[in-house]
Amino acid sequence: MASVALQIVSKPLPGSDMSKIMANMKEAADLWRSAGAEVKVYTVSVGEIGNLVFTAHWASYEAYGKSLDKMVGEQSVQALMAKINASGTAEWIRSNLVREMPI
């Protein structure tokens, strides 16, 4: 069974309060975890230094679909997205949805 991962890369804006950024990430992590994802947050040390990487991981596409079904239309998710967008603390760089390829 192939695993699935979601990756969201963002860049803190100069002068932003990192505690607000991390509080938003924690809130997002709590939402994804409650929907069944394994969540981790990373800071980039080589390459795009300073960027933040939010990852959510599932054991299968089926597990990912079940999580997504729980998240879509959820008011708390929509409220958090609006809060993050209005905060002006970071900019979105890219998102990827990847699936494991057996080798």
Side-chain angles (χ1 to χ4, degrees):
M1 196 172 335
S3 65
V4 176
L6 170 67
Q7 174 194 60
I8 301 168
V9 180
S10 61
K11 178 179 182 175
L13 295 174
S16 292
D17 182 347
M18 280 302 290
S19 66
K20 288 182 182 179
I21 293 170
M22 294 311 294
N24 287 338
M25 288 228 183
K26 182 181 180 332
E27 194 172 339
D30 290 345
L31 288 172
W32 279 107
R33 286 180 179 132
S34 71
E38 176 187 336
V39 177
K40 294 183 181 180
V41 175
Y42 302 90
T43 184
V44 178
S45 299
V46 176
E48 298 173 327
I49 296 170
N51 283 358
L52 300 173
V53 182
F54 180 97
T55 65
H57 182 265
W58 299 268
S60 67
Y61 236 58
E62 180 181 7
Y64 163 72
K66 287 179 180 179
S67 278
L68 202 57
D69 284 348
K70 291 177 185 176
M71 299 283 284
V72 171
E74 177 65 36
Q75 292 298 322
S76 56
V77 173
Q78 293 175 5
L80 176 60
M81 293 308 298
K83 176 180 157 185
I84 290 170
N85 287 332
S87 73
T89 57
E91 70 176 319
W92 172 85
I93 302 297
R94 81 181 124 294
S95 298
N96 295 300
L97 181 66
V98 298
R99 61 186 166 87
E100 178 184 8
M101 295 178 62
I103 56 170

